[in-house]
Amino acid sequence: MGDTGQGAADKITLRADLLAARRAMTPPQRSAAARALAEHALELPQLAAAGTVAGYVSVGGEPGTRELLDVLRGRGVRVLLPVLRPDNDLDWAVYGGPDSLAPAGRGLLEPDGPRLGCDAVLGADTVLLPGLAVDAHGVRLGRGGGSYDRVLARLARAGAHPALVVLLYAHEVVARVPREPHDHPVHAVITPDGVRRFA
């Protein structure tokens, strides 16, 4: 695993570099990437066959997820979206379409439907994870807030095994992400260039 302190420091540096690259992207580049990401997503069998998907609404420079959410919903998939709680844990609600999203804290958009509780994610066949990078072993670099670490720990404690999929830009698939003991590898990454699965 390496030294945890050094791994955390390496993550801070890598996050800063990746966030700078996202800020440098133009709106047309982001729109094109979102379209391509939605087109490639259903190449992943775990997503194409899912009955329930836990997703998220992209914000800022994140790879765009809205087209993908609408594609999934249009196929009859039950899409759960996160609702950030004051303690940074995630509650969930069903996505009812673009008009069902309401502004929330930290610049987020959240579904306006009934809250289903933190354990609702346990019923998902596939969980879409935000991130900043993934490496050749499926180790994901998150934003550092810890919300999805809690989700992944909750899944592990419950013995739930959904497909874990991170959505990224192509250049964010890197050779190595610093790994810490609490990190859970993902099963696949979807980028505007296509799908890559990990052993």
Side-chain angles (χ1 to χ4, degrees), residues 33-85:
R35 282 192 302 275
L37 202 150
E39 289 169 6
H40 286 300
L42 296 180
E43 296 171 12
L44 185 65
Q46 295 97 318
L47 200 53
T52 298
V53 171
Y56 63 96
V57 182
S58 56
V59 294
E62 290 182 321
T65 62
R66 295 205 207 178
E67 290 188 48
L68 173 56
L69 298 177
D70 288 333
V71 166
L72 292 171
R73 186 169 173 267
R75 289 169 55 94
V77 175
R78 182 175 184 250
V79 178
L80 302 177
L81 295 180
V83 178
L84 186 65
R85 293 167 30 129

Tab-separated table of all heavy atoms in Angstrom, residues 33-85:
chain	number	residue	atom	x	y	z
A	33	ALA	N	-17.853	15.782	-25.165
A	33	ALA	CA	-17.468	14.671	-24.298
A	33	ALA	C	-18.691	14.037	-23.646
A	33	ALA	O	-18.781	12.804	-23.547
A	33	ALA	CB	-16.481	15.154	-23.236
A	34	ALA	N	-19.646	14.857	-23.208
A	34	ALA	CA	-20.856	14.325	-22.566
A	34	ALA	C	-21.664	13.473	-23.538
A	34	ALA	O	-22.170	12.406	-23.170
A	34	ALA	CB	-21.712	15.473	-22.028
A	35	ARG	N	-21.780	13.931	-24.785
A	35	ARG	CA	-22.508	13.140	-25.794
A	35	ARG	C	-21.825	11.801	-26.034
A	35	ARG	O	-22.476	10.744	-26.082
A	35	ARG	CB	-22.622	13.921	-27.103
A	35	ARG	CG	-23.682	15.006	-27.105
A	35	ARG	CD	-23.937	15.534	-28.501
A	35	ARG	NE	-22.732	16.061	-29.128
A	35	ARG	CZ	-22.274	17.298	-28.952
A	35	ARG	NH1	-22.910	18.130	-28.157
A	35	ARG	NH2	-21.176	17.687	-29.562
A	36	ALA	N	-20.505	11.844	-26.200
A	36	ALA	CA	-19.763	10.608	-26.467
A	36	ALA	C	-19.827	9.657	-25.276
A	36	ALA	O	-19.959	8.442	-25.445
A	36	ALA	CB	-18.303	10.944	-26.799
A	37	LEU	N	-19.768	10.203	-24.073
A	37	LEU	CA	-19.837	9.377	-22.873
A	37	LEU	C	-21.173	8.639	-22.813
A	37	LEU	O	-21.222	7.435	-22.540
A	37	LEU	CB	-19.649	10.263	-21.651
A	37	LEU	CG	-19.180	9.592	-20.363
A	37	LEU	CD1	-18.361	10.560	-19.543
A	37	LEU	CD2	-20.353	9.121	-19.557
A	38	ALA	N	-22.259	9.344	-23.100
A	38	ALA	CA	-23.586	8.715	-23.088
A	38	ALA	C	-23.686	7.625	-24.158
A	38	ALA	O	-24.287	6.571	-23.935
A	38	ALA	CB	-24.672	9.773	-23.296
A	39	GLU	N	-23.077	7.880	-25.329
A	39	GLU	CA	-23.125	6.889	-26.410
A	39	GLU	C	-22.363	5.620	-26.041
A	39	GLU	O	-22.800	4.510	-26.342
A	39	GLU	CB	-22.539	7.495	-27.689
A	39	GLU	CG	-23.430	8.561	-28.311
A	39	GLU	CD	-22.718	9.338	-29.409
A	39	GLU	OE1	-21.567	8.977	-29.768
A	39	GLU	OE2	-23.304	10.328	-29.892
A	40	HIS	N	-21.217	5.777	-25.400
A	40	HIS	CA	-20.389	4.610	-25.074
A	40	HIS	C	-20.876	3.848	-23.842
A	40	HIS	O	-20.572	2.667	-23.689
A	40	HIS	CB	-18.931	5.034	-24.836
A	40	HIS	CG	-18.194	5.383	-26.085
A	40	HIS	ND1	-18.010	4.490	-27.115
A	40	HIS	CD2	-17.590	6.537	-26.471
A	40	HIS	CE1	-17.330	5.076	-28.094
A	40	HIS	NE2	-17.065	6.321	-27.727
A	41	ALA	N	-21.626	4.504	-22.977
A	41	ALA	CA	-21.977	3.897	-21.687
A	41	ALA	C	-22.664	2.553	-21.839
A	41	ALA	O	-22.382	1.612	-21.090
A	41	ALA	CB	-22.853	4.855	-20.887
A	42	LEU	N	-23.568	2.441	-22.813
A	42	LEU	CA	-24.332	1.201	-22.941
A	42	LEU	C	-23.533	0.070	-23.584
A	42	LEU	O	-24.039	-1.033	-23.743
A	42	LEU	CB	-25.631	1.454	-23.701
A	42	LEU	CG	-26.592	2.405	-22.975
A	42	LEU	CD1	-27.857	2.613	-23.782
A	42	LEU	CD2	-26.936	1.901	-21.579
A	43	GLU	N	-22.258	0.356	-23.923
A	43	GLU	CA	-21.365	-0.733	-24.344
A	43	GLU	C	-20.963	-1.597	-23.147
A	43	GLU	O	-20.448	-2.704	-23.321
A	43	GLU	CB	-20.102	-0.160	-25.000
A	43	GLU	CG	-20.356	0.593	-26.287
A	43	GLU	CD	-19.126	1.329	-26.791
A	43	GLU	OE1	-18.011	1.068	-26.272
A	43	GLU	OE2	-19.277	2.174	-27.690
A	44	LEU	N	-21.177	-1.062	-21.946
A	44	LEU	CA	-20.833	-1.809	-20.740
A	44	LEU	C	-22.032	-2.680	-20.351
A	44	LEU	O	-23.096	-2.162	-20.009
A	44	LEU	CB	-20.494	-0.836	-19.607
A	44	LEU	CG	-19.996	-1.457	-18.308
A	44	LEU	CD1	-18.649	-2.140	-18.522
A	44	LEU	CD2	-19.898	-0.406	-17.224
A	45	PRO	N	-21.902	-4.011	-20.414
A	45	PRO	CA	-23.049	-4.884	-20.139
A	45	PRO	C	-23.698	-4.627	-18.781
A	45	PRO	O	-24.920	-4.692	-18.658
A	45	PRO	CB	-22.446	-6.293	-20.214
A	45	PRO	CG	-21.243	-6.155	-21.090
A	45	PRO	CD	-20.709	-4.778	-20.816
A	46	GLN	N	-22.892	-4.331	-17.760
A	46	GLN	CA	-23.450	-4.109	-16.424
A	46	GLN	C	-24.352	-2.886	-16.376
A	46	GLN	O	-25.232	-2.790	-15.527
A	46	GLN	CB	-22.329	-3.959	-15.382
A	46	GLN	CG	-21.494	-5.201	-15.191
A	46	GLN	CD	-20.210	-5.161	-15.998
A	46	GLN	OE1	-20.196	-4.742	-17.154
A	46	GLN	NE2	-19.126	-5.611	-15.396
A	47	LEU	N	-24.140	-1.965	-17.281
A	47	LEU	CA	-24.989	-0.771	-17.339
A	47	LEU	C	-26.175	-1.003	-18.270
A	47	LEU	O	-27.306	-0.634	-17.950
A	47	LEU	CB	-24.163	0.427	-17.815
A	47	LEU	CG	-24.708	1.814	-17.493
A	47	LEU	CD1	-25.021	1.968	-16.013
A	47	LEU	CD2	-23.727	2.879	-17.929
A	48	ALA	N	-25.923	-1.656	-19.392
A	48	ALA	CA	-26.994	-1.916	-20.365
A	48	ALA	C	-28.085	-2.807	-19.775
A	48	ALA	O	-29.264	-2.668	-20.113
A	48	ALA	CB	-26.415	-2.556	-21.619
A	49	ALA	N	-27.702	-3.724	-18.877
A	49	ALA	CA	-28.667	-4.680	-18.325
A	49	ALA	C	-29.191	-4.283	-16.949
A	49	ALA	O	-29.996	-5.005	-16.360
A	49	ALA	CB	-28.021	-6.060	-18.232
A	50	ALA	N	-28.761	-3.137	-16.428
A	50	ALA	CA	-29.126	-2.758	-15.056
A	50	ALA	C	-30.598	-2.368	-14.948
A	50	ALA	O	-31.144	-1.709	-15.823
A	50	ALA	CB	-28.252	-1.595	-14.595
A	51	GLY	N	-31.208	-2.771	-13.839
A	51	GLY	CA	-32.566	-2.337	-13.533
A	51	GLY	C	-32.574	-1.069	-12.710
A	51	GLY	O	-33.457	-0.214	-12.855
A	52	THR	N	-31.590	-0.942	-11.826
A	52	THR	CA	-31.434	0.252	-10.989
A	52	THR	C	-29.985	0.714	-11.056
A	52	THR	O	-29.067	-0.090	-10.869
A	52	THR	CB	-31.809	-0.039	-9.521
A	52	THR	OG1	-33.190	-0.434	-9.454
A	52	THR	CG2	-31.606	1.189	-8.650
A	53	VAL	N	-29.801	1.994	-11.329
A	53	VAL	CA	-28.465	2.591	-11.390
A	53	VAL	C	-28.427	3.758	-10.417
A	53	VAL	O	-29.303	4.615	-10.422
A	53	VAL	CB	-28.135	3.087	-12.812
A	53	VAL	CG1	-26.837	3.898	-12.814
A	53	VAL	CG2	-28.026	1.917	-13.779
A	54	ALA	N	-27.416	3.774	-9.563
A	54	ALA	CA	-27.159	4.944	-8.725
A	54	ALA	C	-26.197	5.832	-9.495
A	54	ALA	O	-25.063	5.437	-9.760
A	54	ALA	CB	-26.557	4.526	-7.385
A	55	GLY	N	-26.664	7.010	-9.880
A	55	GLY	CA	-25.845	7.930	-10.660
A	55	GLY	C	-25.578	9.198	-9.886
A	55	GLY	O	-25.656	9.228	-8.653
A	56	TYR	N	-25.284	10.259	-10.608
A	56	TYR	CA	-25.091	11.572	-9.994
A	56	TYR	C	-25.211	12.624	-11.090
A	56	TYR	O	-25.044	12.323	-12.282
A	56	TYR	CB	-23.735	11.688	-9.278
A	56	TYR	CG	-22.540	11.566	-10.191
A	56	TYR	CD1	-21.905	12.698	-10.693
A	56	TYR	CD2	-22.052	10.315	-10.566
A	56	TYR	CE1	-20.822	12.584	-11.545
A	56	TYR	CE2	-20.965	10.200	-11.412
A	56	TYR	CZ	-20.360	11.335	-11.899
A	56	TYR	OH	-19.290	11.216	-12.752
A	57	VAL	N	-25.502	13.842	-10.704
A	57	VAL	CA	-25.605	14.954	-11.646
A	57	VAL	C	-24.260	15.670	-11.675
A	57	VAL	O	-23.805	16.179	-10.653
A	57	VAL	CB	-26.725	15.935	-11.237
A	57	VAL	CG1	-26.842	17.055	-12.257
A	57	VAL	CG2	-28.056	15.199	-11.096
A	58	SER	N	-23.638	15.699	-12.832
A	58	SER	CA	-22.339	16.352	-12.952
A	58	SER	C	-22.479	17.857	-12.755
A	58	SER	O	-23.502	18.457	-13.084
A	58	SER	CB	-21.730	16.063	-14.322
A	58	SER	OG	-22.615	16.469	-15.354
A	59	VAL	N	-21.432	18.451	-12.201
A	59	VAL	CA	-21.386	19.898	-12.013
A	59	VAL	C	-20.007	20.407	-12.426
A	59	VAL	O	-19.039	19.644	-12.452
A	59	VAL	CB	-21.677	20.311	-10.543
A	59	VAL	CG1	-23.099	19.968	-10.156
A	59	VAL	CG2	-20.682	19.673	-9.583
A	60	GLY	N	-19.944	21.698	-12.751
A	60	GLY	CA	-18.665	22.309	-13.094
A	60	GLY	C	-18.010	21.612	-14.269
A	60	GLY	O	-18.644	21.335	-15.277
A	61	GLY	N	-16.738	21.295	-14.108
A	61	GLY	CA	-15.977	20.682	-15.186
A	61	GLY	C	-16.045	19.170	-15.234
A	61	GLY	O	-15.340	18.549	-16.034
A	62	GLU	N	-16.880	18.552	-14.401
A	62	GLU	CA	-16.982	17.088	-14.413
A	62	GLU	C	-17.481	16.589	-15.765
A	62	GLU	O	-18.266	17.277	-16.425
A	62	GLU	CB	-17.955	16.610	-13.331
A	62	GLU	CG	-17.465	16.767	-11.917
A	62	GLU	CD	-18.457	16.239	-10.892
A	62	GLU	OE1	-19.677	16.426	-11.070
A	62	GLU	OE2	-17.999	15.648	-9.909
A	63	PRO	N	-17.074	15.380	-16.176
A	63	PRO	CA	-17.658	14.802	-17.383
A	63	PRO	C	-19.177	14.794	-17.260
A	63	PRO	O	-19.721	14.374	-16.240
A	63	PRO	CB	-17.084	13.383	-17.415
A	63	PRO	CG	-15.791	13.494	-16.649
A	63	PRO	CD	-16.057	14.511	-15.571
A	64	GLY	N	-19.852	15.285	-18.285
A	64	GLY	CA	-21.298	15.467	-18.223
A	64	GLY	C	-22.075	14.170	-18.109
A	64	GLY	O	-21.849	13.230	-18.880
A	65	THR	N	-22.994	14.116	-17.152
A	65	THR	CA	-23.786	12.899	-16.940
A	65	THR	C	-25.250	13.055	-17.341
A	65	THR	O	-25.975	12.068	-17.390
A	65	THR	CB	-23.765	12.488	-15.459
A	65	THR	OG1	-24.361	13.532	-14.671
A	65	THR	CG2	-22.354	12.215	-14.970
A	66	ARG	N	-25.719	14.258	-17.621
A	66	ARG	CA	-27.168	14.435	-17.792
A	66	ARG	C	-27.720	13.663	-18.983
A	66	ARG	O	-28.802	13.087	-18.884
A	66	ARG	CB	-27.495	15.922	-17.908
A	66	ARG	CG	-27.178	16.647	-16.612
A	66	ARG	CD	-28.006	17.875	-16.485
A	66	ARG	NE	-27.329	18.853	-15.656
A	66	ARG	CZ	-27.813	20.045	-15.399
A	66	ARG	NH1	-28.948	20.419	-15.931
A	66	ARG	NH2	-27.168	20.876	-14.623
A	67	GLU	N	-26.995	13.673	-20.093
A	67	GLU	CA	-27.479	12.898	-21.243
A	67	GLU	C	-27.544	11.417	-20.903
A	67	GLU	O	-28.502	10.724	-21.278
A	67	GLU	CB	-26.577	13.131	-22.459
A	67	GLU	CG	-26.709	14.529	-23.030
A	67	GLU	CD	-25.973	14.698	-24.340
A	67	GLU	OE1	-26.130	13.831	-25.225
A	67	GLU	OE2	-25.246	15.697	-24.493
A	68	LEU	N	-26.548	10.924	-20.194
A	68	LEU	CA	-26.532	9.517	-19.797
A	68	LEU	C	-27.710	9.204	-18.868
A	68	LEU	O	-28.392	8.177	-19.034
A	68	LEU	CB	-25.212	9.178	-19.117
A	68	LEU	CG	-25.098	7.780	-18.503
A	68	LEU	CD1	-25.387	6.697	-19.532
A	68	LEU	CD2	-23.728	7.589	-17.881
A	69	LEU	N	-27.981	10.072	-17.902
A	69	LEU	CA	-29.102	9.841	-16.988
A	69	LEU	C	-30.414	9.756	-17.759
A	69	LEU	O	-31.264	8.909	-17.472
A	69	LEU	CB	-29.177	10.961	-15.941
A	69	LEU	CG	-27.982	11.114	-15.007
A	69	LEU	CD1	-28.185	12.314	-14.091
A	69	LEU	CD2	-27.739	9.849	-14.196
A	70	ASP	N	-30.568	10.633	-18.758
A	70	ASP	CA	-31.808	10.633	-19.534
A	70	ASP	C	-31.915	9.409	-20.436
A	70	ASP	O	-33.001	8.866	-20.635
A	70	ASP	CB	-31.917	11.918	-20.351
A	70	ASP	CG	-32.206	13.130	-19.466
A	70	ASP	OD1	-32.804	12.960	-18.382
A	70	ASP	OD2	-31.820	14.248	-19.856
A	71	VAL	N	-30.771	8.951	-20.979
A	71	VAL	CA	-30.772	7.721	-21.777
A	71	VAL	C	-31.209	6.538	-20.913
A	71	VAL	O	-32.055	5.731	-21.306
A	71	VAL	CB	-29.375	7.466	-22.396
A	71	VAL	CG1	-29.269	6.042	-22.930
A	71	VAL	CG2	-29.094	8.465	-23.507
A	72	LEU	N	-30.627	6.432	-19.719
A	72	LEU	CA	-30.984	5.330	-18.825
A	72	LEU	C	-32.450	5.388	-18.435
A	72	LEU	O	-33.169	4.382	-18.502
A	72	LEU	CB	-30.102	5.374	-17.568
A	72	LEU	CG	-28.616	5.072	-17.779
A	72	LEU	CD1	-27.826	5.374	-16.515
A	72	LEU	CD2	-28.407	3.631	-18.216
A	73	ARG	N	-32.920	6.561	-18.042
A	73	ARG	CA	-34.324	6.716	-17.647
A	73	ARG	C	-35.248	6.381	-18.819
A	73	ARG	O	-36.279	5.736	-18.645
A	73	ARG	CB	-34.551	8.141	-17.151
A	73	ARG	CG	-35.938	8.374	-16.592
A	73	ARG	CD	-36.012	9.723	-15.881
A	73	ARG	NE	-37.365	9.998	-15.492
A	73	ARG	CZ	-38.252	10.684	-16.214
A	73	ARG	NH1	-37.891	11.196	-17.379
A	73	ARG	NH2	-39.481	10.861	-15.782
A	74	GLY	N	-34.867	6.790	-20.029
A	74	GLY	CA	-35.670	6.496	-21.216
A	74	GLY	C	-35.759	5.009	-21.523
A	74	GLY	O	-36.710	4.567	-22.171
A	75	ARG	N	-34.789	4.239	-21.053
A	75	ARG	CA	-34.799	2.781	-21.234
A	75	ARG	C	-35.559	2.067	-20.119
A	75	ARG	O	-35.595	0.848	-20.068
A	75	ARG	CB	-33.361	2.251	-21.261
A	75	ARG	CG	-32.605	2.635	-22.512
A	75	ARG	CD	-31.115	2.311	-22.379
A	75	ARG	NE	-30.859	0.922	-22.044
A	75	ARG	CZ	-30.616	-0.047	-22.911
A	75	ARG	NH1	-30.593	0.220	-24.200
A	75	ARG	NH2	-30.370	-1.269	-22.502
A	76	GLY	N	-36.154	2.843	-19.214
A	76	GLY	CA	-36.908	2.241	-18.123
A	76	GLY	C	-36.078	1.897	-16.911
A	76	GLY	O	-36.558	1.215	-15.989
A	77	VAL	N	-34.830	2.362	-16.871
A	77	VAL	CA	-33.977	2.103	-15.721
A	77	VAL	C	-34.408	3.014	-14.572
A	77	VAL	O	-34.704	4.197	-14.772
A	77	VAL	CB	-32.496	2.360	-16.075
A	77	VAL	CG1	-31.593	2.208	-14.854
A	77	VAL	CG2	-32.050	1.421	-17.192
A	78	ARG	N	-34.432	2.484	-13.368
A	78	ARG	CA	-34.674	3.295	-12.168
A	78	ARG	C	-33.348	3.950	-11.792
A	78	ARG	O	-32.390	3.268	-11.458
A	78	ARG	CB	-35.183	2.402	-11.039
A	78	ARG	CG	-35.510	3.123	-9.747
A	78	ARG	CD	-36.129	2.109	-8.782
A	78	ARG	NE	-36.559	2.716	-7.544
A	78	ARG	CZ	-35.964	2.528	-6.361
A	78	ARG	NH1	-34.897	1.740	-6.271
A	78	ARG	NH2	-36.428	3.107	-5.276
A	79	VAL	N	-33.303	5.255	-11.891
A	79	VAL	CA	-32.067	5.991	-11.632
A	79	VAL	C	-32.176	6.679	-10.279
A	79	VAL	O	-33.090	7.475	-10.047
A	79	VAL	CB	-31.795	7.030	-12.741
A	79	VAL	CG1	-30.526	7.827	-12.426
A	79	VAL	CG2	-31.665	6.338	-14.097
A	80	LEU	N	-31.257	6.351	-9.394
A	80	LEU	CA	-31.176	7.006	-8.085
A	80	LEU	C	-30.107	8.090	-8.147
A	80	LEU	O	-29.037	7.873	-8.718
A	80	LEU	CB	-30.800	6.005	-6.998
A	80	LEU	CG	-31.718	4.801	-6.803
A	80	LEU	CD1	-31.152	3.881	-5.727
A	80	LEU	CD2	-33.125	5.246	-6.437
A	81	LEU	N	-30.395	9.239	-7.544
A	81	LEU	CA	-29.423	10.326	-7.487
A	81	LEU	C	-29.153	10.692	-6.040
A	81	LEU	O	-30.049	10.619	-5.195
A	81	LEU	CB	-29.940	11.552	-8.239
A	81	LEU	CG	-30.110	11.379	-9.747
A	81	LEU	CD1	-30.638	12.664	-10.358
A	81	LEU	CD2	-28.793	10.976	-10.411
A	82	PRO	N	-27.932	11.114	-5.746
A	82	PRO	CA	-27.567	11.415	-4.362
A	82	PRO	C	-28.097	12.759	-3.882
A	82	PRO	O	-28.258	13.698	-4.656
A	82	PRO	CB	-26.035	11.424	-4.393
A	82	PRO	CG	-25.704	11.818	-5.794
A	82	PRO	CD	-26.788	11.247	-6.661
A	83	VAL	N	-28.343	12.802	-2.588
A	83	VAL	CA	-28.717	14.028	-1.887
A	83	VAL	C	-27.716	14.165	-0.740
A	83	VAL	O	-27.659	13.304	0.140
A	83	VAL	CB	-30.157	13.948	-1.343
A	83	VAL	CG1	-30.501	15.215	-0.576
A	83	VAL	CG2	-31.153	13.708	-2.481
A	84	LEU	N	-26.912	15.225	-0.786
A	84	LEU	CA	-25.861	15.394	0.213
A	84	LEU	C	-26.451	15.800	1.556
A	84	LEU	O	-27.187	16.772	1.658
A	84	LEU	CB	-24.866	16.461	-0.261
A	84	LEU	CG	-23.619	16.649	0.604
A	84	LEU	CD1	-22.753	15.390	0.586
A	84	LEU	CD2	-22.820	17.854	0.118
A	85	ARG	N	-26.119	15.020	2.586
A	85	ARG	CA	-26.589	15.311	3.940
A	85	ARG	C	-25.595	16.231	4.652
A	85	ARG	O	-24.445	16.343	4.234
A	85	ARG	CB	-26.738	14.002	4.717
A	85	ARG	CG	-27.852	13.114	4.188
A	85	ARG	CD	-27.812	11.703	4.738
A	85	ARG	NE	-27.264	11.579	6.062
A	85	ARG	CZ	-27.850	10.936	7.076
A	85	ARG	NH1	-29.021	10.366	6.899
A	85	ARG	NH2	-27.263	10.836	8.235
